Amino acid sequence: MRPLTAQWIANAVGGELAADVDAEVTSVEKDSRDVAPGALYVAFVGERVDGHEYAPRAFEAGAALALVSEPVAGPHVLVDDVTDALGRLAQAYLALLRTEGDITVIGVTGSNGKTTTKDLLAQVLDDAVAPVGSFNNEIGLPLTVLRADAGTRHLVLEMGASAPGDLAYLTRIAPLDIAVVLTVGTAHLGGYGSAEGLAAEKATLLDGLVPRGIALLNADDDRVAAMAARPFLSADGRQVRTFGTTAGTDVAASRITLDRGRASFAVSTPTAGAQDEAMVSLRLVGEHHVTNALAAVATALECGLPLDEAATRVGDADPLSAHRMALTERTDGVWILDDSYNASPESMRAALRALKEVATTGRSFAVVGEMREMGDAWRSGHEEIGLDAVRLRIDHLLVVGEGAKPAHASAVREGSWGDEAAYVATIDEARAFLDGRLMPGDTVLIKASHGSGLWKLADDLLGVHE
């Protein structure tokens, strides 16, 4: 973070300053345990924790200033709403960085693939700052912006949406030079009522483009491709580029092959009647990552990298975020495919296909839990999981938790399954079920929404302990 004075911060957020005006802030933290000398400690009030109670600990650790909604015993800026103030601070800070240097701001949204694409770009682009994990909301995004500094050339922002207006708010904080839209699926559908409503929200990302900004759209998703007609994109020199496997796209994948779930493909860009082409071999597991890789290549091209270098860097990139298609072999020869961070019907289907590709040495076990924020589509969405497991000929389906129970019922109906499908209510029961059945060479997929807690089973199976 570029150093800021307490007075500058107070002016940016419109708050009341109770501190030395020249006190210098060099980082921003929302957890008092992460505070280092010179930090601005942001005191959020949550359902279970009031951050103001931890202000003394933050000052003991060297915090130079606190952003608060009630006075504390220490240097602070008092505001009515800490979340809103954090957004205003990030907005003013990014505007300052733009005036002082050359920074390209990239926003990525989509029902699936945001975090993976963000992680790819963090490794592909030079001097890049990107979120840690899935910091994609009204708190995580401003904190990411505030990690940039004078040496940052590429600021990569993951932008999530759970309700109408979310993306408009985030792009007001961080107007975009490049806007990437990946997919419109059923993740977070409960906040919008329909896929069309969700598509309309995702399209608002494009309204956050600066003049001469670039929209990068997935041509393989009809709802995303239709966003090219958004009137805002035809003004002030903005341009649209497409990526996908569809003929005629600006950045196209062809000749896709899989080697134990890892995709290789040719990527091409038609230019002036010629065809530039390079090969990409991904380290990521799952054919669905071809879309994310194409988005990363297309973004890298817009940032000035030549095609061959962009392809090489994308191929060399590793999975960074936990619980996202991480394939690990245990010492007993059992493979764990951990994709337990989040889930939607589309990502479930992709994960089951990846399991089938990976499980070449033994049996395939799909351990699935609840997909959340599905709204009225929750039952049919879970039933689809059971149908997909049967149709893909997964060897064993284990459904965990009451919220996912329709997946078990639909698998039994579709496949006349007996022991091939099982239901358990708890994670402990799931662990006991697997312990009694797994053999060397078997592959186990763990997949559910993060809130279901099934990621704890993945950690337990891999011997990961906090």
Side-chain angles (χ1 to χ4, degrees):
M1 179 184 185
R2 175 199 185 284
L4 301 171
T5 67
Q7 185 66 68
W8 193 95
I9 291 171
N11 292 345
V13 303
E16 181 182 335
L17 180 63
D20 179 352
V21 295
D22 293 322
E24 190 172 77
V25 167
T26 54
S27 63
V28 180
E29 300 291 350
K30 66 181 179 65
D31 190 326
S32 62
R33 294 169 294 186
D34 297 329
V35 166
L40 169 67
Y41 170 63
V42 185
F44 291 105
V45 178
E47 293 181 4
R48 299 180 181 178
V49 176
D50 183 349
H52 295 82
E53 296 177 2
Y54 296 90
R57 179 187 297 177
F59 290 129
E60 288 175 7
L65 193 67
L67 184 62
V68 298
S69 56
E70 59 185 62
V72 295
H76 63 267
V77 177
L78 182 65
V79 296
D80 293 331
D81 185 315
V82 169
T83 301
D84 178 68
L86 181 67
R88 281 184 276 131
L89 176 60
Q91 182 181 30
Y93 180 70
L94 180 55
L96 177 65
L97 291 182
R98 284 190 183 275
T99 64
E100 293 181 340
D102 181 16
I103 186 169
T104 298
V105 183
I106 301 153
V108 182
T109 197
S111 297
N112 303 293
K114 294 187 297 295
T115 299
T116 298
T117 302
K118 172 267 299 181
D119 286 345
L120 289 173
L121 290 172
Q123 299 171 80
V124 169
L125 300 176
D126 295 326
D127 301 318
V129 167
V132 176
S134 187
F135 266 28
N136 63 18
N137 62 11
E138 72 278 6
I139 295 174
L141 181 137
L143 289 173
T144 302
V145 170
L146 291 163
R147 285 180 49 226
D149 60 25
T152 302
R153 292 294 169 262
H154 299 97
L155 177 59
V156 182
L157 299 172
E158 181 179 338
M159 294 185 160
S162 298
D166 283 353
L167 291 178
Y169 176 76
L170 296 179
T171 55
R172 281 197 298 272
I173 294 172
L176 303 174
D177 298 288
I178 300 174
V180 183
V181 186
L182 297 166
T183 60
V184 175
T186 51
H188 307 297
L189 192 60
Y192 300 93
S194 68
E196 290 71 25
L198 180 57
E201 171 65 19
K202 296 296 186 187
T204 63
L205 182 81
L206 307 177
D207 298 340
L209 280 168
V210 301
R212 297 181 298 282
I214 304 293
L216 296 177
L217 305 179
N218 177 12
D220 295 336
D221 186 308
D222 291 341
R223 291 190 176 94
V224 176
M227 296 177 190
R230 198 166 184 83
F232 184 77
L233 293 177
S234 62
D236 296 327
R238 297 179 184 89
Q239 299 181 59
V240 176
R241 306 273 193 272
T242 57
F243 58 90
T245 59
T246 305
T249 56
D250 295 301
V251 180
S254 62
R255 306 198 303 276
I256 300 170
T257 60
L258 294 175
D259 180 5
R260 205 170 189 202
R262 292 180 170 89
S264 295
F265 59 94
V267 58
S268 59
T269 57
T271 56
Q275 191 87 5
D276 291 336
E277 183 177 279
M279 294 302 299
V280 178
S281 295
L282 296 178
R283 296 181 181 179
L284 309 178
V285 175
E287 184 177 0
H288 57 290
H289 286 311
V290 171
T291 296
N292 306 324
L294 282 174
V297 171
T299 304
L301 294 176
E302 295 300 332
C303 292
L305 283 180
L307 178 61
D308 56 349
E309 186 172 354
T312 297
R313 291 190 185 189
V314 169
D316 288 343
D318 293 310
L320 296 182
S321 297
H323 303 296
R324 294 181 183 272
M325 276 293 164
L327 181 63
T328 306
E329 184 181 15
R330 300 195 314 194
T331 56
D332 61 358
V334 172
W335 292 85
I336 306 298
L337 182 58
D338 177 11
D339 197 34
S340 58
Y341 185 84
N342 219 333
S344 66
E346 294 83 8
S347 66
M348 276 281 192
R349 192 170 300 115
L352 290 172
R353 288 198 300 266
L355 169 63
K356 193 66 178 176
E357 288 289 338
V358 169
T360 58
T361 59
R363 298 168 299 168
S364 54
F365 285 76
V367 183
V368 301
E370 183 181 3
M371 300 179 294
R372 299 194 167 187
E373 298 183 61
M374 292 284 293
D376 293 339
W378 79 271
R379 179 176 293 278
S380 61
H382 287 91
E383 288 174 343
E384 288 176 13
I385 299 170
L387 298 179
D388 288 337
V390 172
R391 293 167 184 173
L392 287 167
R393 299 183 180 181
I394 303 299
D395 294 318
H396 293 277
L397 174 69
L398 177 60
V399 178
V400 185
E402 183 69 27
K405 200 170 186 178
H408 174 256
S410 67
V412 172
R413 287 196 305 268
E414 176 73 8
S416 299
W417 275 8
D419 293 342
E420 297 94 338
Y423 167 77
V424 295
T426 69
I427 292 173
D428 288 342
E429 291 176 277
R431 178 62 195 263
F433 178 95
L434 294 170
D435 283 346
R437 290 167 176 79
L438 294 179
M439 298 187 299
D442 290 343
T443 304
V444 184
L445 167 70
I446 311 293
K447 180 72 173 172
S449 288
H450 190 265
S452 73
L454 203 60
W455 57 270
K456 298 174 185 176
L457 175 61
D459 282 353
D460 194 26
L461 289 170
L462 290 168
V464 176
H465 303 288
E466 295 184 347

